Amino acid sequence: MTATETVPQSPVREALADAVATLGGATREGQVLMADAVAQALADEEHLLVEAGTGTGKSLAYLVPSLLHDSRVVVATATLALQHQLVERDLPRLVKAIGSRPGVDASYAVLKGRSNYACLHRVREGAPDDQGTLVDVPLGPMAEKVLELRSWAEKEAEKGGSGERDSAPRHTDREWRQVSVNHRDCLGAAKCPFGEECFVEVARDKAQKSHLIVTNHSLLAIDAIEGVPMIPEYDAVVIDEAHELVARVTQAATDELTAAEVERAARRAQKHIDGSEADDLADASDALRAAINESSPGRFVTLPEVISDALVLVRDAARSAISALPKPKDSDGADPGFQQAKGGLQEVFTTAERMAAASEHDVIWLNEGGDRIPPRLCVAPLQVWAQMREKLLTEKTVVFASATLKLGGDFGPVAGSLGLKAEERTELGAGAQRTDDVLPWVGLDVGSPFDYGRQGILYVARHLPPPGRDGMGAKTMDEIVDLVDAADGRTLGLFSSRRAAEAAAEVVRQKLPHLTTLAQGDAQLPELAAQFVADPHTVLFGTLSLWQGLDVPGDTCQLVIIDRIPFPRPDDPLMSARQQAADKAGGNGFMQVAATHAALLLAQGAGRLIRTTSDRGVVAVLDARLATARYGGFLKASLPPMWATTDPDVVRKALKRLSELASA
């Protein structure tokens, strides 16, 4: 189906037109087509993959039909930034525009994980230390900030606020832990003396009464895939930023274990256990530490005996410690120290049991840690498509939306990673039957309002030597300097490693001292972004988080540099395991895993350049393999259709012209 086909007038189109007119926008063909498709998918119970380029207005295109749908809809985002945009900007304006229309249920709520809300018990009673004793105010430099956060939380409670971390005074993760709890440490609304005021319970009550719920990928995964009830019953789900879903679901299903965590669990349990079980767990932590120290970092194809034995010791000792905990009576008051000890033991037991089982469906590896980070064992699912297929796609109607869902020009790679099969694909409204209890799916590209062929140039530096493991060579550094000089700043550099970004920044600082050159890590991302936007003669170099978290339309960014094709590292334990599994199943592991991963990141990186219809610029890929390798065509087909060249002189002249126009 193409973006040029027309659909008869509908209530969705009428509501969308009202919303666009009220908000002062203009009708966009892709937005209208997407809204129609979302409404039809919800009505016909068909899964929908919809690629909507930047500038389409896709949030309105799914919010309008969601508010008109006759049952509750969940909207899940990957990032807090988009979640914040939906709840604080898009939904309030949309409700004001169409909330009074017949058939529109304009009630909505936001749900986040428990640790994203302040805990009134910790705010008023303090946080337990490792011995289970409540500490009113922590000693040291944290004290002032913790008191500030407590004061803020009390004001939130008084005015009926959300108590969400996003609205709290600026703080560190460590400071926030003093006024919040995770699901293990929570006393529960029934036992907590402040349960009726609890920010989490208030949010859940509001969600229970709302037609539309905004949440995140991780909470959706815990609810739908792991079966832990987190979200009120719903009929359908819209997954925005859907290109991130597999990574977020994998992350939610990943567990870690360190010797220090086992030791801490034993120490916290000591106060509540009369026998030797806590001491036995402490001994097991020593065995785990010794086993980790004896082992080499990396993936374990077969679990080493020393690691396996240590995990069995930890598992059995944690199980015994849990059994030795006293059974609290209903008349007992709330004891945060006991709850913390119990939660810690259960987490250690569950993780050690999973790792000791060494399931063929899991990947286990040893991460060597780093500066003040201890080495840790990690376990993650080999794949998540089967779980999503069984637990999500059979139960709900799902709309997957993103600016990047077609890789190599086709929906197939992403659809397969989500648990959808090629033979289940149908046309919108065709009424195909279920396969294995999974709804049929539709792939729809609504296009982009941008004319990429006129607005952007894709430059592949074919003359450069292939990138090596030892970092960028002198020729590549010279190329970066020449490009940045031609653009007179206005450059976003996206690098495969922090080390490469810092090395490039240092060279540019030396050779182009008249420009302001910033590197990720020089300050927090919002501060770096503000500096980048404020002065066009600025260069900003960074890594993956910049690819996904920066939106700088206008003359601020006229050059995006990508140092190399972002294949996963060869020693990435999870990606290498998935690639080998695809090969073993008769597929092409490199194309299914490594090339697909690279295509997705390349598309996201290139997408930083053109953000409005007036933007102009160059995406420069300093990796000749994009032009010379057999897989280059697949990767280029995943990028916006910009005019392509390998001629450096053409690109430098174009950048100089753009710089002169921007300065005029």
Side-chain angles (χ1 to χ4, degrees), residues 31 92 103 150 190 207 239 279 319 360 407 497 521 525 549 562 564 605:
Q31 185 182 60
R150 287 183 181 180
I239 300 176
D279 293 332
R319 181 195 289 122
E360 64 179 4
L407 299 180
S497 70
L525 182 55
I562 298 174
R564 62 192 299 161

Side-chain angles (χ1 to χ4, degrees), residues 157-196:
E158 288 173 14
K159 70 179 185 181
S162 67
E164 292 177 27
R165 183 176 183 176
D166 285 354
S167 58
R170 193 171 180 177
H171 57 271
T172 65
D173 290 346
R174 189 166 171 235
E175 290 161 350
W176 181 253
R177 284 196 293 270
Q178 295 296 311
V179 296
S180 68
V181 295
N182 55 38
H183 67 280
R184 296 181 308 276
D185 296 345
C186 177
L187 297 169
K191 278 198 169 186
C192 180
F194 312 112
E196 291 186 3

Side-chain angles (χ1 to χ4, degrees), residues 313-534:
L313 283 175
V314 172
R315 178 198 67 192
D316 293 348
R319 181 195 289 122
S320 297
I322 292 169
S323 299
L325 288 171
K327 303 297 185 286
K329 301 175 183 177
D330 292 340
S331 58
D332 291 347
D335 184 350
F338 177 83
Q339 185 63 33
Q340 184 184 65
K342 182 180 177 182
L345 290 174
Q346 288 176 329
E347 182 175 23
V348 166
F349 168 72
T350 301
T351 304
E353 183 181 46
R354 179 184 178 187
M355 290 180 173
S359 167
E360 64 179 4
H361 302 298
D362 275 336
V363 179
I364 304 176
W365 70 95
L366 176 61
N367 189 313
E368 63 183 337
D371 184 29
R372 291 186 292 182
I373 300 176
R376 59 196 184 277
L377 290 171
C378 305
V379 59
L382 177 61
Q383 47 80 9
V384 296
W385 67 263
Q387 296 95 306
M388 287 195 284
R389 181 176 178 83
E390 178 186 354
K391 303 290 180 62
L392 181 62
L393 299 178
T394 59
E395 300 293 331
K396 314 291 181 188
T397 302
V398 184
V399 174
F400 300 95
S402 171
T404 312
L405 285 180
K406 291 173 69 178
L407 299 180
D410 184 54
F411 285 105
V414 170
S417 72
L418 297 169
L420 296 167
K421 297 180 180 179
E423 59 267 27
E424 295 161 351
R425 185 171 182 177
T426 185
E427 293 298 317
L428 197 64
Q433 299 298 308
R434 285 173 175 254
T435 302
D436 298 331
D437 290 327
V438 172
L439 301 173
W441 65 276
V442 174
L444 176 67
D445 180 358
V446 301
S448 168
F450 305 147
D451 186 349
Y452 283 108
R454 295 177 64 86
Q455 291 183 246
I457 297 174
L458 173 63
Y459 166 54
V460 181
R462 184 171 184 156
H463 62 284
L464 291 178
R469 290 193 173 188
D470 298 329
M472 291 177 291
K475 290 184 179 179
T476 302
M477 288 293 190
D478 289 343
E479 184 79 16
I480 291 173
V481 170
D482 289 345
L483 290 169
V484 171
D485 189 28
D488 198 20
R490 301 182 176 86
T491 301
L492 177 62
L494 305 174
F495 292 83
S496 53
S497 70
R498 179 72 71 90
R499 185 176 66 175
E502 291 172 348
E506 186 57 34
V507 170
V508 172
R509 285 190 190 106
Q510 292 174 2
K511 296 195 174 183
L512 302 173
H514 60 288
L515 300 177
T516 301
T517 302
L518 306 171
Q520 190 174 1
D522 290 348
Q524 293 296 314
L525 182 55
E527 186 178 339
L528 290 174
Q531 285 184 259
F532 187 58
V533 171

